[in-house]
Amino acid sequence: MIEPFRTNLPLLRDVARVRMYTDCTMDEETILTRSADADAVMVIGFHVPDAMLDRFCGFDGGPGHVRCFAFGGTGVASYIDLARTREHGVRVCNIVHYGDHAVAEHTFALLLELAREVGRLNAEVRAGDWTGADGYALHGKTIGLVGFGGIGQAVARIANGFGMKVAVWNSHVDPMAAAGLGVDLIDDMGDLMERSDIVSLHLPLLAETAGIVTIRELDQMRPGTLFLNTARAEIVEPGALTARLLRGDVRAALDVYEREPLPLDDPLRRVPGIVLTPHVAWRNDEAYVGLTRQVVQSIRSFFAGGDFNVAN
Amino acid sequence: MIEPFRTNLPLLRDVARVRMYTDCTMDEETILTRSADADAVMVIGFHVPDAMLDRFCGFDGGPGHVRCFAFGGTGVASYIDLARTREHGVRVCNIVHYGDHAVAEHTFALLLELAREVGRLNAEVRAGDWTGADGYALHGKTIGLVGFGGIGQAVARIANGFGMKVAVWNSHVDPMAAAGLGVDLIDDMGDLMERSDIVSLHLPLLAETAGIVTIRELDQMRPGTLFLNTARAEIVEPGALTARLLRGDVRAALDVYEREPLPLDDPLRRVPGIVLTPHVAWRNDEAYVGLTRQVVQSIRSFFAGGDFNVAN
């Protein structure tokens, strides 16, 4: 992501002095030392623990004086204590819609690995096995989307291309978007799960969506359903997905987890045929360009007195 | 495929006596013994060698008297000597369009494995590695299709859903289909390869298409191009694809090969990052239903004096 950042840094000319390190470290002391005199910090994919937040901002009486965190992601509530920053007047910025296509495309990469098993077949051919496997057709199947924002709509467009039927549950749906994409709106999330061949989650993580998918809805999935989550694990009631999947009659592919990195002893790893990727759905060339531009714009706006992408 | 066949067998009631074995054998003697008194044979995914053809049909002076082979595939020229059957008045039937969606979907399964590497990432997460990888965006990229029949058009529809640009080279293009799918027609196959980010082959194997893609066109692919073949290896000049890919600047995913099963010492296996599946693109639930119905209809038509799906 270094090159896309460099490309956008001229936006900060005459606004801020920029210090950029091109090595990668997750060591908290190194990060705090390097940002000791910073007014603003750009953060990508790093969880800021409470104690570290205190030191960044000087809440602990120390020299830290960060007043703005510009995150390169949408679900910032997973990465920093938003209430605590708000209480102290520290700005947190997120970014929006930069990765709609990237996440929608990864959703289909996961779905097609369940449907056609290219990863497994490639390994078998390399090992000299020519047995192959029967695939699962997408054409004519119904995909049920929980959530219908930018990502959900991008998923619906792709599903239309495959000749799939699209059903949607969402608390608020833009009727124009629904009509334009020819989707069926379903009032009850459990009904959506029951009538879908494939279920995919596309809600943002907010106070109102945390735990909104419960075991009651998950239980309505029929045997043979394919389940996808490229959104956030926390929108599902804690433990409910693992409990549902361990029954073994639903196949799943996931990019997000309650704990990341996924612990080696996590019971999800024992679900038969599960496909796991390490929270990479948002990561592609197109998204990096949009993401870095928005992060730099957030910092520029903060220093210039604007309110671009404020999340808290 | 046994259940879809059973479902369709009532079509042969009062037309033919059917003998069905539900075990799987590739042993030529077993197959010849079992079909010794057959007038017609249904063949799925089995190459009929010349010597075996002679014995099936009694060209060797033996008791064989098969007069119709109904293949469950489109590219029957790869599976039996069409000229020799024609010369002896033995009918060969193929099937058409049964697998357009299946092959188009597998094309995207291969493309997304190159773009997002779910197979590799899944293996890494299982091994405890959380590094991940940056993906390759499909949105906004150009896919160039060599061939624009039923499969090519299905690929174009899916590509439209992903927000890709679609360019097409084909000897004869239905202008209505091209206009309806918003594709750019390119007169020169080499130009198509040069301007495409992704190249995918979708020609049938015919006398006019065998070897139609030569090293001259393949050389026009830019470094970083992704190359897909779910059609037939024989539409590329022998050895040309291997030579082009071994240069290492084009990434490829293939489902078809000059020799199948792909020999363990085939140099294609040494192409960096190549993704290989064992000729499975046509195999899915939807295709099996359409395929078995057409095979049984071909046999019914043969015995009833019709000419359904005659290929020779």
Side-chain angles (χ1 to χ4, degrees):
Chain A
M1 213 177 295
I2 291 169
E3 274 317 303
F5 260 115
R6 271 197 223 283
T7 307
N8 286 299
L9 288 180
L11 284 169
L12 295 179
R13 189 168 295 151
D14 304 327
V15 173
R17 191 161 56 86
V18 178
R19 195 183 300 130
M20 182 173 183
Y21 299 91
T22 58
D23 60 326
C24 179
T25 177
M26 299 293 266
D27 179 65
E28 293 187 11
E29 290 306 322
T30 304
I31 293 168
L32 285 163
T33 303
R34 289 177 171 184
S35 54
D37 60 347
D39 298 297
V41 175
M42 307 188 205
V43 191
I44 318 271
F46 183 82
H47 293 250
V48 181
D50 289 347
M52 200 174 171
L53 172 60
D54 290 351
R55 292 177 66 191
F56 264 127
C57 301
F59 303 159
D60 63 345
H65 54 88
V66 173
R67 285 295 171 270
C68 175
F69 292 92
F71 278 83
T74 48
V76 291
S78 309
Y79 289 92
I80 196 164
D81 182 341
L82 283 181
R84 191 162 164 73
T85 56
R86 195 160 45 231
E87 177 191 325
H88 285 87
V90 170
R91 175 180 293 193
V92 175
C93 301
N94 65 358
I95 60 180
V96 293
H97 292 306
Y98 74 96
D100 289 357
H101 295 295
V103 174
E105 291 175 19
H106 195 71
T107 301
F108 276 88
L110 291 176
L111 173 54
L112 281 164
E113 180 59 22
L114 290 179
R116 304 305 297 247
E117 302 185 278
V118 170
R120 182 172 76 77
L121 292 173
N122 185 36
E124 288 188 3
V125 170
R126 281 163 191 276
D129 182 348
W130 199 255
T131 313
D134 293 338
Y136 172 97
L138 301 190
H139 180 256
K141 300 278 167 56
T142 297
I143 186 167
L145 308 180
V146 177
F148 199 59
I151 295 172
Q153 291 174 37
V155 168
R157 271 188 291 275
I158 298 170
N160 283 339
F162 277 101
M164 304 171 82
K165 303 181 191 86
V166 182
V168 167
W169 177 92
N170 205 39
S171 51
H172 314 284
V173 171
D174 175 352
M176 290 287 288
L181 290 166
V183 308
D184 282 336
L185 299 177
I186 312 293
D187 290 337
D188 180 85
M189 195 198 298
D191 285 349
L192 178 88
M193 299 228 178
E194 195 280 333
R195 72 165 75 183
S196 298
D197 301 301
I198 299 145
V199 171
S200 191
L201 304 188
H202 298 289
L203 290 171
L205 179 58
L206 305 166
E208 314 87 80
T209 59
I212 196 171
V213 180
T214 73
I215 191 71
R216 197 176 62 79
E217 288 83 27
L218 295 175
D219 271 346
Q220 289 187 246
M221 288 193 286
R222 289 177 278 115
T225 301
L226 309 186
F227 180 88
L228 309 166
N229 192 358
T230 52
R232 280 290 187 280
E234 297 89 337
I235 63 181
V236 182
E237 172 189 15
L241 182 62
T242 299
R244 179 67 186 85
L245 295 181
L246 282 173
R247 279 164 45 192
D249 63 338
V250 162
R251 295 170 61 214
L254 308 175
D255 189 51
V256 293
Y257 310 91
E258 293 180 14
R259 288 182 295 167
E260 297 181 0
L262 185 68
L264 284 172
D265 62 353
D266 194 294
L268 268 182
R269 292 177 180 268
R270 298 199 307 268
V271 173
I274 197 166
V275 171
L276 308 169
T277 55
H279 205 151
V280 294
W282 61 281
R283 289 172 60 177
N284 77 15
D285 47 339
E286 183 187 49
Y288 282 177
V289 171
L291 177 154
T292 54
R293 186 182 306 124
Q294 286 194 47
V295 170
V296 174
Q297 285 174 327
S298 297
I299 298 285
R300 179 183 172 83
S301 169
F302 171 70
F303 284 123
D307 58 2
F308 184 74
N309 278 352
V310 176
N312 68 338
Chain B
M1 212 176 297
I2 292 169
E3 274 317 302
F5 260 116
R6 269 197 224 284
T7 308
N8 286 299
L9 288 181
L11 283 170
L12 296 179
R13 189 167 296 152
D14 304 327
V15 173
R17 192 162 54 88
V18 178
R19 194 184 299 129
M20 181 172 184
Y21 298 91
T22 57
D23 60 327
C24 180
T25 179
M26 300 292 266
D27 179 66
E28 294 187 11
E29 290 305 324
T30 305
I31 294 168
L32 285 164
T33 304
R34 289 178 172 184
S35 52
D37 60 347
D39 299 296
V41 175
M42 308 189 203
V43 191
I44 318 273
F46 182 82
H47 294 249
V48 181
D50 290 346
M52 202 174 170
L53 172 60
D54 289 350
R55 293 178 64 192
F56 265 127
C57 302
F59 303 160
D60 64 346
H65 54 89
V66 173
R67 283 296 171 271
C68 175
F69 293 92
F71 278 83
T74 47
V76 291
S78 309
Y79 290 92
I80 196 165
D81 182 341
L82 283 182
R84 190 161 166 70
T85 55
R86 195 162 42 231
E87 175 190 325
H88 286 85
V90 170
R91 177 179 292 194
V92 175
C93 301
N94 65 357
I95 59 180
V96 293
H97 292 306
Y98 75 96
D100 288 356
H101 295 295
V103 175
E105 291 175 20
H106 195 71
T107 301
F108 276 87
L110 291 176
L111 174 55
L112 281 163
E113 180 60 21
L114 291 178
R116 304 306 296 248
E117 301 185 280
V118 169
R120 183 171 74 78
L121 293 173
N122 185 36
E124 288 188 4
V125 169
R126 281 164 190 276
D129 182 348
W130 200 254
T131 312
D134 293 338
Y136 172 96
L138 301 190
H139 180 255
K141 301 277 169 55
T142 297
I143 186 167
L145 309 180
V146 178
F148 199 59
I151 295 172
Q153 292 175 38
V155 168
R157 271 188 292 274
I158 299 170
N160 283 339
F162 277 102
M164 304 172 81
K165 302 180 192 87
V166 182
V168 167
W169 177 91
N170 205 39
S171 51
H172 314 285
V173 172
D174 174 354
M176 289 287 287
L181 290 166
V183 308
D184 283 335
L185 299 178
I186 311 294
D187 290 336
D188 181 85
M189 195 200 298
D191 286 350
L192 179 89
M193 299 229 178
E194 194 280 333
R195 71 165 74 183
S196 298
D197 300 301
I198 299 145
V199 171
S200 192
L201 305 190
H202 298 289
L203 291 172
L205 178 59
L206 305 166
E208 314 88 78
T209 60
I212 196 171
V213 180
T214 74
I215 192 70
R216 197 177 64 77
E217 289 82 27
L218 295 175
D219 271 345
Q220 289 187 247
M221 289 193 286
R222 289 176 279 114
T225 301
L226 309 186
F227 180 87
L228 309 167
N229 192 358
T230 52
R232 278 291 187 281
E234 297 89 338
I235 63 180
V236 182
E237 172 188 15
L241 182 63
T242 299
R244 179 66 186 84
L245 295 181
L246 281 173
R247 278 164 46 192
D249 63 338
V250 162
R251 295 170 61 217
L254 307 175
D255 189 52
V256 291
Y257 311 91
E258 293 180 14
R259 287 183 296 167
E260 297 181 2
L262 185 67
L264 284 171
D265 61 353
D266 194 293
L268 269 181
R269 292 178 180 268
R270 299 199 306 268
V271 173
I274 196 165
V275 171
L276 308 170
T277 55
H279 205 151
V280 293
W282 62 281
R283 289 173 60 177
N284 77 15
D285 46 339
E286 183 187 49
Y288 282 177
V289 171
L291 176 154
T292 53
R293 187 181 308 123
Q294 286 194 47
V295 171
V296 174
Q297 284 174 326
S298 298
I299 298 284
R300 179 183 171 83
S301 170
F302 172 69
F303 284 122
D307 57 3
F308 184 74
N309 280 350
V310 176
N312 66 337

